Each structure stands twice: as C-alpha cells, then as structure tokens.
C-alpha cells in the first residue's frame, strides 16, 4: 500500500531496561525552533502503534508558528518493537517503565504526553510513580473507569476470525467493525486506519501486534467488577490535562468524564463528534484543540 506514512520522521531504536529493543518515530528532531518548547510523546492503544499518530505528529511538528518535536512510540509487541518472549510483560507497569526508558534515551526531562486508550492507562501509572516528567497530559478516550461494554467490543473484534485478503479488504473489515461508531469517517479515513493497524508481513496483510496481546483479552473476566484507577488519576491533579472523548465511545462514559472534571477542576474536556473508541486525533477540530492546549500549558 502506497502512503506518506513513511516520511517526515527519524526512525529510532532504543533499549528497554530489560534489554528488549523498542521502536519510535522522532518528528521535528532537527528543527531548532522546537528547542524552547516541551516535546510531545504519544502512546498508542492496546494493539495500535506509532503510525496512529502520524498525521497529528506532522501537524504539530510542522506548525509554522510553534513547531514541536513529537515522538511516537511502538509499545513492546506492537509495530516494529520486538515481541516479548515473556508474555506476562505485556502489562501497564512494564510498559510505563518502557516509556521512562524512552525519555532517558531521548534526553527528555519533561514532556507533554498524549495517551490513547491503553497509552492513557500507562500515563495513570506514570502519574503515580514519576509525575515530575509530565508537563501536560492529553487522554484520548480513556479515564480511570473502563466500561464493560467497551471492553466486550474490544475483545470481540480483536479475536475475530476473518483476516484481510488485501489492503482494501482490511479497510472494509475495519468499517464493518467500527462504522456504526464512526459515521464521521470517509473512505480515505478507513484506508488510513487500515495502514495504521495492519502491516504487510511475508506478503500478507496482517494485524501488526503479537497475537498474545489479543489472547490476554480472552482471559479477562468481564463479569467481575473492574478495578478503577481513581487513586492514580488523582496524581494528575497538579498537571494540566485535556480529555478527548469520542461522541459514541462505549469505553469512556460521559459520566466518568464529568467525575474527572470534578476531581480535576482545571481539566479541559473535548468531544470528538461522529467518532467512537478511540477518536482519530487528526480530524476536524481536534488538532487545533490540542495545539491550543499545548500552547497554554507546555
């Protein structure tokens, strides 16, 4: 599949604290105009990767007034990062440590962070262990309470049997799975999503993550009460925060966002109209909202 997803950044390989090789994309690294602004680190969702943020990273790093260095990370087992032989390492604490390793390697003492879904959960962990590294935080369709309905949906589509025959089929599968929650998307958006989620491996269009991650979802008991992360969320109290919720999200409820606003009075809440879980951050007014938030807080 031809695309501009492979331009505009420097590919970086770095080593986690346990020796695993991880991958990141570094946008705007060579622009001296970014030096006086906090860099932006982007953390993707459960089975997603750095490509999820490509269009947003280009917007932020090429801003003509206030460009920023943007680093987007493939968590272990996703994208071009190495699959872990010890599948138990696919957990929030290890992945939070990987983010801190990235900051150390890239000489980042403090950054603005954007966390989509699981990436936002990782930020909850960091808020409880290294809040000093968080200059500002954007949570994309995630909070301290996860709705069971949304988790059921994720588990269902991650363990679907149908595999794409080609790139067009990959886009069609995504539209079949998510179209009802994403009426705002047009054909090109589904193609972009396909390229972000899948990769061509040994001549086949394949979901770009270790299948063990999807298997972990099958082991979850979604009939049991889910633990919340309110204690960790309170670690964000002194940190500027924006929360983006998909209008049709089944994972992050409007009620949870309201409670987040009560606990974090300075929090900015934005709704991504016509989108579900998790919103594409380069569409509609979302990039402008993020740019304005970053300009005011980092």
């Amino acid at each position: 599949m031809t695309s501009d997803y492979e331009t505009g950044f420097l590919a970086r390989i770095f080593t986690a604290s346990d020796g695993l090789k991880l991958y990141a994309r570094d946008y705007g690294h060579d622009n001296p105009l970014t030096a006086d602004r906090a860099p932006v680190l982007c953390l993707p969702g459960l089975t997603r990767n750095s490509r999820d943020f490509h269009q947003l990273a280009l917007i932020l790093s090429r801003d003509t007034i206030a460009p920023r260095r943007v680093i987007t990370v493939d968590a272990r087992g996703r994208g071009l990062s190495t699959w872990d032989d010890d599948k138990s390492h696919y957990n929030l604490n290890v992945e939070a440590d990987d983010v801190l390793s990235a900051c150390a390697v890239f000489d980042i003492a403090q950054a603005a962070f954007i966390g989509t879904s699981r990436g936002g959960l990782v930020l909850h962990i960091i808020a409880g262990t290294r809040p000093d590294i968080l200059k500002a935080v954007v949570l994309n369709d995630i909070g301290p309470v996860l709705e069971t309905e949304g988790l059921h949906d994720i588990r269902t589509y991650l363990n679907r049997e149908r595999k794409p025959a080609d790139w067009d089929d990959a886009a069609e599968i995504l539209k079949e799975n998510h179209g009802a929650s994403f009426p705002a998307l047009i054909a090109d958006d589904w193609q972009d999503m396909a390229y972000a989620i899948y990769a061509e491996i040994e001549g086949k269009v394949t979901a770009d993550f270790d299948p063990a991650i999807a298997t972990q979802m099958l082991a979850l008991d979604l009939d049991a009460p889910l633990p919340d992360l309110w204690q960790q969320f309170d670690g964000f109290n002194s940190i500027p925060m924006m929360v983006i919720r998909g209008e049709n999200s089944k994972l992050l409820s409007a009620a949870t966002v309201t409670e987040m606003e009560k606990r974090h009075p300075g929090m900015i809440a934005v709704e991504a109209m016509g989108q579900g879980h998790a919103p594409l951050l380069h569409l509609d007014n979302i990039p402008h909202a993020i740019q304005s938030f970053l300009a005011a807080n980092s």
Side-chain angles (χ1 to χ4, degrees):
M1 182 176 182
T2 59
S3 128
D4 67 350
Y5 270 74
E6 301 303 326
T7 62
F9 61 89
L10 176 68
R12 305 286 297 267
I13 301 294
F14 66 101
T15 304
S17 61
D18 62 0
L20 201 72
K21 297 297 182 182
L22 304 176
Y23 174 85
R25 293 177 165 201
D26 196 347
Y27 299 77
H29 62 283
D30 55 352
N31 184 349
L33 297 178
T34 67
D36 294 333
R37 300 180 188 91
V40 179
L41 263 71
C42 299
L43 310 180
L46 176 66
T47 59
R48 309 292 278 264
N49 57 70
S50 58
R51 297 193 297 275
D52 252 6
F53 298 101
H54 180 68
Q55 291 99 323
L56 178 67
L58 291 178
I59 291 170
L60 296 180
S61 64
R62 294 176 176 177
D63 187 292
T64 56
I65 297 174
R68 293 188 181 258
R69 183 187 184 193
V70 182
I71 296 171
T72 68
V73 178
D74 285 355
R76 60 178 60 212
R78 291 84 159 178
L80 295 178
S81 287
T82 306
W83 292 10
D84 200 320
D85 291 334
D86 185 343
K87 308 308 179 185
S88 70
H89 288 171
Y90 296 137
N91 68 68
L92 296 178
N93 290 322
V94 171
E95 290 164 26
D97 185 68
D98 291 344
V99 173
L100 298 179
S101 293
C103 291
V105 169
F106 301 140
D107 195 26
I108 294 173
Q110 197 173 51
F113 286 81
I114 301 175
T116 292
S117 195
R118 185 180 180 92
L121 296 180
V122 169
L123 290 176
H124 279 70
I125 302 303
I126 293 175
T129 58
R130 283 290 309 279
D132 58 290
I133 209 166
L134 304 174
K135 180 74 172 177
V137 169
V138 177
L139 298 179
N140 182 21
D141 212 59
I142 197 68
V145 176
L146 305 181
E147 300 300 321
T148 302
E149 182 182 9
L151 291 173
H152 272 292
D153 281 357
I154 292 171
R155 184 165 68 177
T156 297
Y157 71 69
L158 284 184
N159 290 282
R160 60 184 175 263
E161 293 184 1
R162 183 183 166 192
K163 308 300 179 186
D166 53 31
W167 285 107
D168 288 339
D169 193 35
E172 187 59 33
I173 288 173
L174 291 172
K175 188 174 181 180
E176 289 173 4
N177 287 331
H178 307 294
S181 296
F182 284 86
L185 271 58
I186 62 174
D188 285 349
D189 297 324
W190 293 112
Q191 289 285 346
D192 281 347
M193 188 185 292
Y195 188 77
I197 291 176
Y198 294 94
E200 190 165 327
I201 301 173
E202 296 180 354
K204 295 182 179 180
V205 178
T206 304
D208 200 11
F209 61 88
D210 185 341
I213 296 167
T215 301
Q216 284 183 340
M217 286 294 295
L218 286 174
L220 287 180
D221 181 3
L222 298 183
D223 294 323
L226 296 172
D228 63 55
L229 293 174
W230 285 119
Q231 181 178 351
Q232 290 82 357
F233 179 81
D234 288 341
F236 292 122
N237 280 348
S238 63
I239 299 165
M241 172 174 283
M242 171 185 281
V243 173
I244 299 165
R245 179 181 179 269
E247 178 188 17
N248 304 316
S249 176
K250 296 179 183 178
L251 190 70
L252 177 64
S253 71
T256 295
V257 174
T258 298
E259 182 62 24
M260 292 165 75
E261 290 179 296
K262 290 179 180 177
R263 292 182 180 234
H264 194 309
M267 189 186 95
I268 296 172
V270 175
E271 190 164 59
M273 303 303 295
Q275 297 202 64
H277 181 78
L280 306 183
L281 297 179
H282 60 280
L283 298 183
D284 300 325
N285 67 325
I286 301 300
H288 176 71
I290 292 173
Q291 287 173 305
S292 296
F293 171 75
L294 293 176
N297 296 289
S298 64

